[in-house]
């Protein structure tokens, strides 16, 4: 939602903070700013717009020479993107950057009789004032932050400087991520490890309520009461190049191109004796065989991966799966108790709604499993069991490789559950494991290699105002994700429908100017899909089929993309990659900023 970074050390702090802000821009990119100690005084530069604008302003000043600086890149929640609402916010001696939302900011402002002191419309400035008043009263930075934190409702990761404590940066967190990065020539705080990977792989993830102080000489960590504590240092497995664009024009395309490797990296360590297993993740066959129902909770693309899980689980294991939208889950008093298994799917492991659902499920005694990409993230830490995907850092706002890897892992999980319940044999599990670990990466690679064909299709459809997606069975769930991908990066209105549902109302929207992408990978459903395509074609609608190579659609479609021949079980996942590439080309042809679509941010740490 917003990205924060701070550095105190012996090297160029401004450069490190700007570098970090560029890699945090995926968290928000409507304004940015930095604060730096220069000769014992705090200097700030901030502006509406992207980090590049702040960088330009700094250059125009002749640079900022500093060994201690912090910065912020914003996704506006309270107050429009503007210079004055950009962070850092300064109140008295307190300089603050913030990721999260202070829910009781209006009450606090009234309590502090603060109206006259506030320059911006942000909740953050009220937090800065709250901290500053505490600091004024007690004169001790950690005590002041701890006291102020007790008054704040909502979520925060703070980077804090006090004007009379040059060389130190303080951090505090609740429900928004914050790490300490430890390097040989200084220390960092950051919203996530990607922001500091260029300088260090060593980090400590702070937990809710904890605070820290970093300086050139070291770091200290404190519990919520201000008592010093020690925490384990972790080493990131990602390298700096993984979080860079390499030779690609866009992160999104680079990340699609990484799908075959990401699938292999995620599944290979889980193959034992030729069969996929989750015992090393702490999920043995006894637990799987006892599973009577699975509830999957997630947001956006991760929820669409959950729908794929529903398809495979119900088919392979005869286990009913309920897939819930995380932002709705806890507000409808869900029926969940100690007999249930709840799975949270999240790339970032920080999504506020998904985290809230996880906490509710734990309160009710359910067994919780997290399927997460970011190691050590909050959801990963709080779930009873975590299955990590190894997709590497996903920087583009639109999720691609995380989704295909989630889908592949969920299929593997469903297969192991099916074996544990003896609805498939061990031989069948081994055969399917080989399809997943060998055929799936190959087929995905083949689709990526045929990107030019999808570009040609994109040229046909990029000027449409509305595009529909249809499919049946698993293809219907892929259609949901394909449609989301298109709308978020190309701004074309799009809807996904179970193909048979179209004639129950939506067909009235089909015109010669409203193309439909029809997914057809299930041979047993070919005939029914053909009927649905004919319904569209006979009303003048143009259809582009993404289908198995033997789909008999003749000239009912305007164009088709034949998926590589592969096991039908994995074909929907392969089709998803084709749809991601189609959406990418359409967005590029429309001149959109595919990596940073308007109004969005990657890590949604507000509810
Ligand atoms: C869309 C997209 C979002 C995320 C959603 C959940 O491309 O990326 O819909 O899937 O915000 O995020 P995570 O998976 O981090 O919980």
């Amino acid at each position: 939602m917003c990205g924060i970074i701070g550095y105190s050390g012996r090297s160029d702090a401004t450069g490190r903070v700007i570098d970090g802000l560029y890699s945090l821009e995926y968290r928000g990119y409507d304004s940015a700013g930095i604060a730096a100690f220069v000769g014992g005084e705090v200097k700030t530069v901030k502006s509406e717009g992207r980090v590049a604008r702040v960088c330009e302003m700094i250059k125009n000043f002749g640079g900022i020479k500093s060994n201690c600086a912090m910065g912020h890149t914003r996704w506006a929640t309270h107050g429009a993107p503007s210079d004055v609402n950009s962070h850092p916010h300064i109140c008295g001696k307190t300089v603050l950057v913030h990721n999260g939302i202070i829910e009781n900011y209006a009450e606090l402002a009234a309590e502090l009789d603060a109206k006259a002191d506030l320059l911006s419309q942000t909740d953050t400035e009220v937090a800065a004032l709250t901290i500053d008043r505490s600091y004024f009263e007690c004169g001790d930075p950690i005590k002041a932050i701890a006291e102020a934190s007790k008054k704040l409702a909502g979520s925060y990761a703070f980077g804090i400087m006090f004007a009379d404590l040059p060389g130190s940066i303080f951090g505090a967190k609740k429900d928004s991520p914050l790490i300490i990065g430890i390097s040989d020539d200084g220390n960092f705080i950051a919203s996530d490890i990607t922001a500091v990977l260029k300088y260090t792989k060593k980090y400590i993830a702070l937990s809710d309520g904890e605070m820290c102080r970093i300086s050139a000489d070291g770091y200290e960590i404190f519990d919520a009461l201000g008592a010093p504590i020690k925490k384990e240092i972790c080493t990131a497995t990602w390298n700096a190049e993984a979080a860079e664009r390499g030779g690609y024009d866009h992160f999104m395309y680079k990340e699609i191109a990484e799908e075959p490797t990401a699938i292999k990296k995620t599944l290979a360590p889980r193959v034992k004796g030729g069969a996929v297993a989750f015992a090393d993740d702490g999920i043995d066959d006894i637990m799987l065989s006892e599973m009577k129902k699975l509830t999957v909770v997630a947001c956006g693309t991760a929820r669409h991966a959950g729908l794929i899980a529903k398809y495979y689980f119900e088919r392979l294991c005869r286990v009913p799966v309920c897939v819930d939208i995380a932002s709705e889950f806890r507000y409808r008093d869900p029926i969940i108790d100690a007999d249930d298994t709840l799975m949270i799917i999240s790339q970032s492991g920080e999504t506020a709604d998904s985290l809230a659902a996880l906490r509710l499920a734990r309160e009710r005694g359910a067994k919780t499993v997290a399927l997460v990409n970011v190691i050590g993230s909050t959801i990963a830490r709080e779930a009873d069991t975590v299955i990590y995907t190894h997709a590497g850092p996903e920087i583009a706002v639109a999720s691609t490789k995380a989704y295909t890897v989630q889908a592949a892992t969920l299929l593997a999980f469903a297969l192991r559950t099916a074996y544990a319940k003896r609805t498939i044999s061990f031989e069948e599990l081994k055969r399917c494991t080989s399809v997943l670990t060998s055929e799936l990466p190959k087929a995905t690679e083949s689709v990526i290699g045929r990107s030019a064909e999808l570009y040609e299709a994109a040229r046909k459809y990029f000027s449409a105002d509305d595009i529909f997606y249809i499919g049946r069975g698993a293809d219907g769930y892929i259609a949901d994700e394909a449609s989301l991908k298109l709308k978020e990066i190309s701004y074309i209105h799009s809807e996904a429908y179970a193909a048979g549902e179209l004639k129950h109302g939506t067909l009235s929207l089909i015109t010669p100017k409203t193309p439909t992408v029809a997914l057809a990978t299930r041979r047993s459903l070919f005939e029914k899909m053909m009927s649905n395509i004919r319904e569209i074609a006979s009303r003048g609608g143009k259809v582009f089929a993404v289908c198995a190579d033997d789909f008999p659609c003749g000239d009912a479609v305007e164009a088709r993309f034949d998926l590589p021949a592969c096991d039908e079980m994995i074909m929907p996942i392969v089709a998803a990659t084709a749809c991601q590439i189609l959406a990418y080309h359409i967005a590029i042809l429309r001149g959109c900023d595919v990596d940073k679509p308007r109004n969005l941010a990657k890590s949604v740490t507000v509810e």
Side-chain angles (χ1 to χ4, degrees):
M1 296 272 73
C2 293
I4 68 174
I5 174 154
Y7 168 83
S8 180
R10 286 167 287 284
S11 300
D12 166 32
T14 311
R16 278 164 172 66
V17 166
I18 291 289
D19 266 357
L21 287 181
Y22 274 122
S23 42
L24 288 171
E25 260 193 324
Y26 73 88
R27 302 179 69 89
Y29 33 84
D30 57 37
S31 37
I34 89 161
F37 279 110
V38 182
E41 307 241 307
V42 176
K43 182 168 180 60
T44 60
V45 179
K46 58 183 197 170
S47 166
E48 184 193 342
R50 295 199 175 171
V51 174
R53 183 132 162 218
V54 170
C55 215
E56 202 53 39
M57 288 164 78
I58 293 173
K59 265 196 203 132
N60 292 343
F61 290 135
I64 298 178
K65 274 203 160 58
S66 170
N67 298 119
C68 180
M70 64 182 191
H72 185 267
T73 179
R74 179 169 186 244
W75 185 82
T77 56
H78 293 62
S82 68
D83 292 354
V84 73
N85 288 335
S86 309
H87 303 205
H89 289 282
I90 302 184
C91 287
K93 288 182 176 159
T94 304
V95 187
L96 185 67
V97 293
H98 168 214
N99 167 34
I101 286 184
I102 306 301
E103 286 162 3
N104 60 340
Y105 76 104
E107 295 91 302
L108 276 175
E111 226 172 81
L112 295 167
D113 195 17
K115 268 217 169 100
D117 297 318
L118 299 174
L119 302 171
S120 74
Q121 290 88 53
T122 65
D123 51 335
T124 303
E125 197 181 6
V126 179
L129 187 63
T130 310
I131 296 170
D132 195 62
R133 295 269 172 97
S134 291
Y135 189 53
F136 181 78
E137 273 163 29
C138 71
D140 178 90
I142 290 296
K143 227 183 197 170
I145 298 167
E147 279 309 307
S149 300
K150 282 188 210 155
K151 298 182 186 150
L152 305 175
S155 59
Y156 53 80
F158 288 141
I160 309 160
M161 288 171 160
F162 294 102
D164 56 353
L165 296 174
S168 287
I169 299 174
F170 297 84
K173 86 146 236 142
K174 180 178 162 269
D175 292 340
S176 292
L178 191 67
I179 60 139
I180 299 174
I182 304 152
S183 83
D184 291 341
D185 70 356
N187 299 296
F188 295 86
I189 55 162
S191 295
D192 78 32
I193 185 69
T194 54
V196 301
L197 268 183
K198 203 167 153 187
Y199 303 100
T200 182
K201 286 185 171 189
K202 283 200 266 169
Y203 73 98
I204 294 172
L206 294 185
S207 300
D208 281 354
E210 291 174 352
M211 296 169 282
C212 68
R213 169 180 169 271
I214 59 159
S215 68
D217 304 323
Y219 62 88
E220 294 161 274
I221 308 173
F222 306 89
D223 69 12
L225 301 173
I229 53 169
K230 294 243 174 295
K231 293 197 75 165
E232 192 194 340
I233 299 176
C234 307
T235 305
T237 49
W238 296 347
N239 55 27
E241 295 77 58
E244 283 165 8
R245 260 198 289 126
Y248 290 87
D249 290 342
H250 301 98
F251 275 111
M252 181 178 172
Y253 201 82
K254 175 189 178 241
E255 286 160 10
I256 294 171
E258 286 169 347
E259 286 177 12
T261 313
I263 292 168
K264 281 190 222 159
K265 272 194 176 165
T266 300
L267 296 182
R270 299 190 163 100
V271 178
K272 310 279 170 221
V276 72
F278 292 84
D280 288 354
D281 299 290
I283 305 169
D284 60 18
D285 284 357
I286 297 175
M287 176 177 166
L288 294 175
S289 68
E290 285 170 354
M291 195 193 301
K292 293 203 173 56
K293 180 183 139 206
L294 177 65
T295 302
V296 178
V297 184
C299 301
T301 290
R303 187 181 71 88
H304 291 156
L307 292 170
I308 295 292
K310 176 178 172 69
Y311 177 82
Y312 288 126
F313 257 84
E314 293 187 345
R315 241 183 130 77
L316 290 164
C317 325
R318 312 310 293 161
V319 169
V321 179
C322 155
V323 182
D324 236 312
I325 296 175
S327 56
E328 291 292 318
F329 184 70
R330 68 197 175 118
Y331 298 108
R332 58 174 185 75
D333 194 10
I335 303 166
I336 185 135
D337 59 33
D339 290 335
D340 289 317
T341 304
L342 179 125
M343 177 183 271
I344 300 284
I345 305 175
S346 175
Q347 186 285 127
S348 63
E350 300 293 348
T351 302
D353 286 314
S354 305
L355 179 60
L358 170 69
R359 287 178 177 165
L360 177 69
R362 279 175 61 88
E363 255 168 54
R364 303 229 175 140
K367 293 180 236 9
T368 56
V369 179
L371 181 65
V372 168
N373 193 43
V374 178
I375 293 177
S377 53
T378 312
I379 290 173
R381 291 201 308 268
E382 293 196 14
D384 298 324
T385 315
V386 56
I387 301 173
Y388 280 116
T389 50
H390 300 298
E394 196 180 60
I395 309 292
V397 165
S399 185
T400 53
K401 62 175 176 175
Y403 169 77
T404 39
V405 173
Q406 282 159 358
T409 311
L410 289 163
L411 172 51
F413 194 58
L415 285 163
R416 186 72 206 194
T417 310
Y419 169 66
K421 287 182 173 290
R422 299 297 187 263
T423 55
I424 63 168
S425 67
F426 193 64
E427 283 316 305
E428 180 61 359
L429 176 64
K430 282 200 333 197
R431 189 193 70 78
C432 293
T433 298
S434 152
V435 169
L436 264 176
T437 53
S438 164
E439 254 186 62
L440 178 59
K442 270 192 211 134
T444 308
E445 187 118 50
S446 151
V447 166
I448 295 164
R450 288 164 55 210
S451 172
E453 290 173 48
L454 291 159
Y455 175 74
E456 284 313 313
R459 274 162 47 100
K460 283 192 171 50
Y461 306 117
F462 79 93
S463 52
D465 291 330
D466 311 276
I467 297 184
F468 281 82
Y469 284 79
I470 57 168
R472 284 173 173 259
D475 292 344
Y477 296 140
I478 299 292
D480 286 328
E481 173 55 14
S483 168
L484 172 63
K485 214 78 314 170
L486 181 81
K487 54 195 153 199
E488 70 175 320
I489 60 169
S490 73
Y491 315 144
I492 295 177
H493 164 251
S494 173
E495 287 183 42
Y497 272 87
E501 186 66 8
L502 217 57
K503 56 185 160 300
H504 296 285
T506 316
L507 212 48
S508 64
L509 293 171
I510 296 293
T511 72
K513 288 188 175 161
T514 315
T516 300
V517 178
L519 293 153
T521 72
R522 328 305 292 159
R523 291 191 174 86
S524 59
L525 298 169
F526 274 179
E527 253 179 52
K528 298 282 176 250
M529 274 307 292
M530 272 315 298
S531 308
N532 301 137
I533 288 173
R534 282 199 200 96
E535 285 157 12
I536 295 168
S538 58
R539 281 151 185 93
K542 306 258 186 311
V543 177
F544 175 59
V546 175
C547 54
D549 59 359
D550 53 348
F551 181 48
C553 55
D555 56 9
V557 302
E558 184 184 40
R560 60 187 282 165
F561 180 83
D562 287 351
L563 295 164
C566 57
D567 194 290
E568 209 178 286
M569 175 181 74
I570 54 167
M571 220 185 273
I573 307 177
V574 181
T577 304
C579 291
Q580 291 166 352
I581 297 173
L582 179 69
Y584 170 84
H585 287 314
I586 289 178
I588 295 289
L589 286 164
R590 288 170 73 94
C592 298
D593 183 348
V594 285
D595 281 345
K596 299 191 183 93
R598 70 180 176 219
N599 304 340
L600 298 179
K602 187 150 189 79
S603 182
V604 185
T605 51
V606 294
E607 285 179 45

